[in-house]
Amino acid sequence: MSGDSFTFTIDGVEVTATPGQTIMEAADAAGIYIPRLCDVEGLRHQGGCRVCTVKASGRSAAACTQPAAPDLVVDNETDHLNTMRRHLVEMLFQEGNHLCPVCEASGNCELQAMAYRLEMVEPFRFPGLEPCRPVDASHPDIALDTNRCISCGRCIRASADVDGKGIFGYVGRGIHRRVAVNGSDLAHTDADINDHAVSRQVCPVGCIIRKREGFSIPIGEREYDHGLIGDEGDSE
Amino acid sequence: MSTDRKARIATVSLAGCFGCHMAILDMDERLIDLMARVEFDRSPLNDLKRFTGRCDIGIVEGGCCNEENVHTLQEFRRNCDVLVALGQCAIMGGLPAMRNAIMHSDDPLRDCLDEAYLSSPYTRNLTNTVPNDPVLPLLLDRVYPCSEVVEIDLQIPGCAPSGDIIHDTLIALLDGKFRGFERTELRFD
Amino acid sequence: MVQSQTDIATPAEIEAICARFDDDPHRMLDILQEVQTRFRCVSPEVMEVVASATGLTRVAVDAVVSFYSFLSDAPKGRVTIRLCDDIVDRFSGLDAVIAAFEAELGIKVGQTSGDGAFSLEVTACIGMCDQAPAAMINDVVLTSLTAERVRDLVTQLKEGVDPGLLIGSRYYEKPPQDRIRDAVRNNIRRAGAVLLGPVPADSGLKKALQMRPEQVIDIIEDSGLRGCGGAGFPAGKKLRHATQNDSTRRFVFCNADEGEPGTFKDRVLLTERAHLMVEGMTVAARAIGAEEGLIYLRGEYTYMRDHILAVLDDRRARGLLGRNIMGMEGSHFDVRLQMGAGSYVCGEAGALISSCEGLPGEPKGRLPLPTERGYLGLPTVVNNVETFCHIARVMDRGAEWFRGMGTDTSPGTKLFSVSGDCLNPGIYELEYGLTLAELLDMAGAPEAAAVMVGGPSGTIIGREHFGRRLVFGDLPTGGAVMIFGPHRNILEIVDYYMGFFVHESCGYCTPCRVGNVFLHKAVQKIRAGQGKQADLDYIREYSATIMETSRCGLGQTSPNPILSTLKNFPLLYSAMLKGGGDRTQPTFDIQDAIEEARSIAQRRSYIFDRDFTQ
């Protein structure tokens, strides 16, 4: 612990942080889970999905980008916050095509797992947007179905910052914003199956598809068949 | 729900694969206890094709892909106090709803039928025509989840839902004690 | 698409454009706007060339092109007509104007003519609500359009008349300021003591240069001046923030991107008080020790570009910008003009900075503040045009004089942009603290039934609230006051503005990107008479989530048109709701759903259609 570290609380539990740490970084270090979709270990923070919204001394903030501060009083697991988080997950389900039974990410999908965690079971009150963008299956090893993209941008940051390639990027504005590739299609980019950006831990949903690997893990043994997302560490 | 009479349950499979009805049977021996408390009205399980009276609970498998599905669903809404959407097809269209997203063209339904019956490389159709017998119900422009056609009171997720979640939910409903699902029980597949 | 030879960009031409901006990726917006103007599109091939010249990926260039409304990857017409599609224009006969353009040009809105001569589009508020309907023809703005005038305009345009000459035959012979005065009326209805009354040239700057920078900040702080863009952040405090770091490079940015529908006060200040604005920027630069400034002028105001450039040139020539300002050794400051390209969210300080950095106009996170880490990560003060004008005046006349006007919490005067159903639309410079009723009286709006204060991100109130005061703490506003008479459909207004927010959301965060789409659908459902009580609950729940979880001010205020009308006009909603009944969904229409199948099968529905053969 460095000399200028300080403390603050999350749901009443005292947490230690160092200057420059975000609320989420400090929470992770303390073993406290804050729900998230666009944030993943090893990549820059984006603050886009807003699922990690917490109350920091009464004010809403994205835990992944909000700096921790001395004596901050953070609320995390409250009904109010989890209701808002469920709305956000509902929005993401409604924005894309998330037909879990036909998606090879099912069971390993963070969006689906987050829906379980946040108890998303109400009937949708509006029809989904049902986008119908063509699937890009041009690459020999990778396919891209952006109808399942939740704009987490993890592939974009992984490709730019880890792989040093910049294969993915956002184009468009507002509801038309989507992930695109740096070429006419995936086959005309430098994308490689060994890129970090296309590895299983980067795309949280079934948007980036590694060909010939789907459905290889039987139901019951997939990542989130064992328990709720975020609770993985609890049994240890 | 009063205890001096058996609760009446109706079930139906619309645009589904009947897997959710199979899942009802996955309650196994608990069905015997359940039958002590409920009687089935209109249902493919007893082959009863019309409602004989008002039902307490209606269970719908599958979404709506044709006009007959709509008609049936509306009948269920009229005849049931609590309407339950069982499984992903009833909840959000499921597999049949894949056609909603792959229909890019200006004439999506025609293209869909063409691909299914005429043009797909995997089609072997000796008559080379799209079936159009008068007994075939008209297809809808897209596949609708049940909640877009009528109000749905409760959704039991899964593809198919487990026998456990169906059993636990029904018992809780019969006891008037349904307070939601255990988070760890939820599955969308 | 037919193109003439000159339209096709060669790589060498594109590289030359990039080179003029030093192949600097931060100047991406300038590069792409120049390409767009010259070649009428930024094609994928061109993106490739720009990317390699500036060291970016093509998809990063595409991100910018696809973000801004005025850039496109498909060719636009040599004459591009953008009709202002604000609700005020709609209420002022826009339909007939659109119909006339479509008939005369033979193309629909959203299309480009086959010969590449014309494109016809609609765009969000272009700041001409006091003289609606209005349109941009290329860069030229035409106002108070009628169907008859449109027929004449198109005839001339087809004959090859330059759009500027539609304003007047000697348009291009006039000095830039006269040109913009000819094109757009100022409509100044009340001139106050601070901004629109007589203003001595540069006497505020002269005084500031004779003071120490801290003294300048002290005076601004002492005046109580608050930012005039809407949020009302104390102007002095912002300047002080910007000095509390050890950076050696700081920036002063002027936000001339007034995009809040119904706001056009900066248009008038830019026309009549551009020198005062730059003077205020120079004062602010003196206060924080900045040597570089930037004016971000919204793309819709491109018609004023030459005027602003002329003002900057004139000031440089007179030693009021550049090295050693007013002969003051070591006092350096210069200003660059940055054009926007059609994006409302760029009026948000963080998004504006992103845009200046050559990126899509996505807001930065709330922290750190721009005064700490703004443009290029360096301390940046971003103020509204009106705020800078005030700063210059406060320096000239002193804090006490300024505090003598308005109220304790809202000192000084404010420009109000009044439009809609009233006799005297235009600009009113008034002391803070007057009631809305008083303003409506001046504007000649005895019939007003609803007033939108502060644009769609503000609030819509009814008669019983007209006694409220236009001050921070009661009815805060960036200045927009839109008046609606009793014959207007308030749900139509709400519907329009929810669509506006959907269109202008940058898409960065989930609640604003997706949530607003569904709020808009909910309003349309209610407007169609298909809504239920559950839909109102849904609106309230989702609105709360959108406001609490959105990343920037756009999403944090976008549900306001619905929420304020739900609160202030509850009967409007309840009258439209559909009662319980049969528990079917009124949005589902079986006849629509089977129409396609019926025509394919060539038979009626045996369930839902009557048999007319019997």
Side-chain angles (χ1 to χ4, degrees):
Chain A
M1 197 181 294
S2 81
D4 46 4
S5 66
F6 57 85
T7 62
F8 68 103
T9 65
I10 301 178
D11 291 336
V13 177
E14 193 167 274
V15 174
T16 305
T18 50
Q21 263 190 325
T22 65
I23 293 173
M24 191 186 284
E25 286 164 355
D28 284 350
I32 296 172
Y33 178 73
I34 298 173
R36 84 245 1 222
L37 286 172
C38 73
D39 202 82
V40 68
E41 204 180 336
L43 297 181
R44 265 183 298 132
H45 307 299
Q46 177 174 278
C49 76
R50 314 307 279 182
V51 171
C52 72
T53 298
V54 294
K55 288 279 179 191
S57 293
R59 186 166 188 160
S60 294
C64 69
T65 52
Q66 184 79 5
D71 303 323
L72 210 58
V73 179
V74 175
D75 294 335
N76 175 36
E77 281 291 336
T78 67
D79 285 348
H80 175 69
L81 286 167
N82 281 332
T83 300
M84 294 200 298
R85 291 165 178 167
R86 190 175 63 241
H87 290 159
L88 296 172
V89 171
E90 273 175 23
M91 289 175 194
L92 292 171
F93 263 88
Q94 298 274 80
E95 182 187 24
N97 294 336
H98 298 286
L99 299 161
C100 296
V102 298
C103 178
E104 62 182 80
S106 191
N108 301 306
C109 169
E110 292 179 34
L111 179 69
Q112 183 192 59
M114 196 58 72
Y116 297 160
R117 183 182 176 95
L118 299 170
E119 301 175 82
M120 188 193 85
V121 281
E122 300 285 304
F124 286 133
R125 284 172 282 189
F126 279 85
L129 302 183
E130 291 185 339
C132 49
R133 295 184 278 267
V135 173
D136 179 354
S138 60
H139 193 281
D141 302 319
I142 312 161
L144 193 66
D145 182 354
T146 59
N147 300 303
R148 297 172 181 164
C149 176
I150 58 167
S151 291
C152 71
R154 282 156 53 163
C155 57
I156 299 175
R157 286 168 283 155
S159 185
D161 301 346
V162 180
D163 301 325
K165 288 186 173 180
I167 287 161
F168 300 102
Y170 287 122
V171 297
R173 183 168 91 188
I175 195 67
H176 305 293
R177 192 182 203 243
R178 65 191 189 283
V179 157
V181 297
N182 190 38
S184 52
D185 57 25
L186 256 182
H188 292 86
T189 66
D190 305 334
D192 185 275
I193 191 70
N194 297 313
D195 285 352
H196 183 56
V198 301
S199 67
R200 285 252 325 267
Q201 61 266 40
V202 169
C203 182
V205 290
C207 171
I208 296 176
I209 299 160
R210 296 168 65 88
K211 291 184 180 177
R212 298 175 294 278
E213 290 184 13
F215 305 108
S216 55
I217 311 169
I219 290 178
E221 292 172 27
R222 301 165 306 179
E223 190 162 359
Y224 302 110
D225 286 338
H226 304 298
L228 292 177
I229 186 170
D231 285 357
E232 296 94 336
D234 286 4
S235 53
E236 288 161 25
Chain B
M1 240 161 261
S2 68
T3 47
D4 47 11
R5 70 160 176 88
K6 285 186 171 182
R8 297 161 67 85
I9 295 183
T11 77
V12 69
S13 178
L14 305 175
C17 69
F18 222 77
C20 295
H21 272 77
M22 294 293 109
I24 294 174
L25 301 180
D26 280 344
M27 282 188 256
D28 299 334
E29 69 277 10
R30 286 171 294 185
L31 268 171
I32 297 165
D33 296 330
L34 184 68
M35 291 312 291
R37 300 185 60 184
V38 305
E39 58 185 359
F40 278 83
D41 198 84
R42 175 176 175 168
S43 170
L45 297 174
N46 56 16
D47 211 17
L48 202 54
K49 296 202 168 47
R50 290 181 200 287
F51 283 98
T52 63
R54 188 155 188 85
C55 291
D56 300 292
I57 299 172
I59 298 176
V60 181
E61 168 189 346
C64 294
C65 74
N66 65 36
E67 55 174 344
E68 190 187 24
N69 296 153
V70 172
H71 181 69
T72 309
L73 182 58
Q74 288 171 340
E75 272 194 334
F76 264 68
R77 182 68 274 178
R78 271 197 301 278
N79 286 287
C80 302
D81 290 342
V82 174
L83 197 57
V84 179
L86 181 67
Q88 292 309 111
C89 295
I91 292 172
M92 32 73 84
L95 265 74
M98 284 182 81
R99 84 161 153 108
N100 296 0
I102 59 172
M103 290 156 79
H104 303 270
S105 79
D106 297 333
D107 202 353
L109 191 56
R110 191 184 297 272
D111 285 359
C112 181
L113 290 168
D114 280 358
E115 176 155 357
Y117 290 102
L118 307 174
S119 62
S120 159
Y122 310 106
T123 301
R124 211 176 112 77
N125 176 0
L126 293 176
T127 65
N128 204 38
T129 54
V130 175
N132 187 15
D133 191 278
V135 303
L136 292 174
L138 294 173
L139 290 180
L140 305 184
D141 55 345
R142 48 184 282 269
V143 176
Y144 293 81
C146 290
S147 63
E148 286 186 37
V149 178
V150 300
E151 288 180 14
I152 293 293
D153 301 298
L154 177 67
Q155 298 186 151
I156 303 178
C159 181
S162 66
D164 292 344
I165 197 172
I166 299 173
H167 175 262
D168 296 350
T169 308
L170 278 178
I171 296 296
L173 280 175
L174 292 171
D175 292 343
K177 286 181 183 161
F178 182 75
R179 298 287 178 272
F181 304 102
E182 282 298 320
R183 294 192 293 180
T184 48
E185 255 189 326
L186 294 177
R187 289 291 177 272
F188 297 160
D189 61 5
Chain C
M1 177 66 54
V2 182
Q3 286 189 345
S4 62
Q5 278 297 312
T6 53
D7 290 343
I8 295 160
T10 65
E13 285 173 303
I14 301 300
E15 280 160 6
I17 291 174
C18 295
R20 288 214 293 103
F21 296 99
D22 303 326
D23 295 330
D24 182 356
H26 295 131
R27 301 300 297 274
M28 186 57 70
L29 203 51
D30 303 85
I31 293 171
L32 296 179
Q33 285 183 101
E34 181 138 347
V35 172
Q36 176 79 39
T37 308
R38 237 171 96 195
F39 304 103
R40 306 202 318 271
C41 71
V42 186
S43 66
E45 298 75 31
V46 166
M47 290 180 204
E48 203 86 60
V49 179
V50 172
S52 70
T54 54
L56 297 180
T57 57
R58 192 193 87 175
V59 71
V61 177
D62 197 357
V64 181
V65 174
S66 57
F67 186 88
Y68 295 95
S69 297
F70 293 176
L71 300 176
S72 64
D73 58 359
K76 293 282 181 208
R78 283 182 290 278
V79 174
T80 297
I81 298 162
R82 294 194 173 91
L83 292 157
C84 177
D85 181 33
D86 195 77
I87 197 78
V88 168
D89 298 79
R90 290 188 184 188
F91 289 161
S92 311
L94 178 64
D95 278 355
V97 170
I98 289 181
F101 268 117
E102 288 183 338
E104 295 299 309
L105 294 171
I107 50 173
K108 296 278 171 203
V109 167
Q111 293 180 335
T112 298
S113 61
D115 58 359
F118 291 98
S119 287
L120 185 61
E121 297 177 0
V122 291
T123 189
C125 181
I126 63 169
M128 305 290 155
C129 286
D130 55 335
Q131 39 209 302
M136 300 170 66
I137 299 186
N138 291 348
D139 295 343
V140 174
V141 170
L142 293 165
T143 68
S144 304
L145 295 173
T146 59
E148 199 176 343
R149 177 130 183 261
V150 167
R151 283 188 275 277
D152 175 50
L153 293 174
V154 174
T155 307
Q156 295 191 54
L157 287 168
K158 279 186 170 169
E159 286 166 2
V161 172
D162 182 283
L165 300 179
L166 300 172
I167 307 285
S169 56
R170 300 181 54 205
Y171 183 75
Y172 289 106
E173 296 158 33
K174 294 184 174 183
Q177 190 176 23
D178 289 351
R179 275 186 236 162
I180 65 176
R181 282 173 175 157
D182 283 356
V184 178
R185 293 187 301 281
N186 280 326
N187 283 335
I188 298 172
R189 306 287 178 183
R190 288 287 165 105
V194 183
L195 299 176
L196 296 176
V199 171
D202 299 306
S203 56
L205 175 59
K206 191 179 281 175
K207 287 176 185 162
L209 288 171
Q210 284 154 6
M211 288 178 209
R212 283 180 295 108
E214 309 85 72
Q215 282 178 296
V216 175
I217 296 179
D218 286 343
I219 290 173
I220 307 292
E221 209 160 41
D222 191 24
S223 75
L225 171 63
R226 302 176 69 158
C228 302
F233 192 84
K237 196 171 164 190
K238 191 184 278 185
L239 292 173
R240 198 174 294 284
H241 270 173
T243 62
Q244 288 162 350
N245 51 64
D246 45 18
S247 177
T248 52
R249 197 177 168 201
R250 303 191 177 99
F251 297 92
V252 172
F253 276 25
C254 178
N255 181 349
D257 191 56
E258 59 171 350
E260 189 69 41
T263 315
F264 46 88
K265 65 185 177 65
D266 291 347
R267 178 194 88 207
V268 175
L269 287 174
L270 289 160
T271 306
E272 299 300 330
R273 293 288 179 267
H275 277 284
L276 186 68
M277 169 186 81
V278 183
E279 182 189 343
M281 290 177 71
T282 315
V283 170
R286 167 79 181 163
I288 68 163
E291 298 193 351
E292 293 158 88
L294 181 145
I295 299 167
Y296 189 91
L297 184 65
R298 66 187 305 222
E300 291 80 352
Y301 287 172
T302 303
Y303 80 104
M304 291 198 270
R305 180 182 50 201
D306 289 348
H307 167 55
I308 303 297
L309 289 173
V311 166
L312 295 176
D313 279 343
D314 176 58
R315 294 183 72 82
R316 282 185 202 110
R318 294 195 287 126
L320 299 167
L321 280 179
R323 313 283 301 169
N324 303 323
I325 290 170
M326 284 183 158
M328 184 83 176
E329 199 66 33
S331 197
H332 317 309
F333 182 61
D334 210 333
V335 175
R336 169 167 86 77
L337 181 64
Q338 172 72 60
M339 294 307 303
S343 165
Y344 163 79
V345 75
C346 287
E348 197 272 348
L352 184 148
I353 289 170
S354 295
S355 186
C356 294
E357 291 169 340
L359 300 167
E362 287 164 355
K364 315 270 186 192
R366 194 175 66 84
L367 296 173
L369 295 169
T371 43
E372 194 183 327
R373 283 219 298 275
Y375 181 61
L376 306 178
L378 297 162
T380 308
V381 164
V382 185
N383 275 325
N384 184 264
V385 173
E386 190 181 356
T387 315
F388 279 122
C389 290
H390 275 303
I391 285 176
R393 295 290 288 144
V394 166
M395 284 318 295
D396 180 33
R397 301 292 303 271
E400 207 164 313
W401 168 78
F402 191 75
R403 274 204 321 270
M405 291 170 282
T407 70
D408 285 351
T409 54
S410 311
T413 64
K414 175 84 192 93
L415 297 192
F416 295 99
S417 318
V418 177
S419 63
D421 298 317
C422 62
L423 287 174
N424 311 309
I427 293 294
Y428 295 75
E429 183 186 359
L430 300 163
E431 290 187 30
Y432 273 115
L434 80 161
T435 64
L436 181 58
E438 287 165 335
L439 180 58
L440 293 177
D441 196 36
M442 284 181 231
E447 299 271 85
V451 178
M452 189 164 77
V453 180
S457 61
T459 176
I460 304 177
I461 58 178
R463 282 178 171 281
E464 63 277 21
H465 292 117
F466 288 176
R468 289 174 64 182
R469 291 187 184 281
L470 294 158
V471 286
F472 293 106
D474 191 356
L475 277 178
T477 168
V481 175
M482 262 188 197
I483 304 168
F484 300 108
H487 53 304
R488 302 302 184 193
N489 178 349
I490 288 176
L491 284 178
E492 181 184 355
I493 299 167
V494 175
D495 181 356
Y496 171 76
Y497 283 117
M498 288 319 298
F500 168 79
F501 284 126
V502 169
H503 185 257
E504 298 298 339
S505 166
C506 80
Y508 194 103
C509 71
T510 309
C512 179
R513 180 181 75 244
V514 190
N516 283 322
V517 172
F518 286 96
L519 280 191
H520 188 211
K521 284 178 184 287
V523 171
Q524 290 181 316
K525 183 177 174 185
I526 289 169
R527 213 187 140 194
Q530 299 171 331
K532 297 181 176 184
Q533 184 58 41
D535 293 306
L536 292 189
D537 301 338
Y538 175 86
I539 285 175
R540 289 201 175 91
E541 288 169 29
Y542 263 44
S543 295
T545 297
I546 294 166
M547 293 172 100
E548 276 193 65
T549 61
S550 284
R551 191 160 171 269
C552 83
L554 196 156
Q556 286 158 11
T557 57
S558 62
N560 278 349
I562 309 185
L563 292 183
S564 63
T565 50
L566 261 175
K567 183 165 168 243
N568 296 324
F569 303 90
L571 295 180
L572 209 65
Y573 286 85
S574 52
M576 295 299 289
L577 291 189
K578 209 173 146 65
D582 55 3
R583 303 200 66 193
T584 58
Q585 300 290 17
T587 39
F588 179 79
D589 184 336
I590 184 67
Q591 292 297 331
D592 281 353
I594 58 175
E595 180 54 33
E596 216 174 325
R598 214 162 20 199
S599 80
I600 293 172
Q602 299 284 315
R603 57 187 161 92
R604 70 178 175 92
S605 159
Y606 295 106
I607 304 173
F608 294 101
D609 289 336
R610 283 174 59 190
D611 182 357
F612 288 103
T613 61
Q614 290 172 346

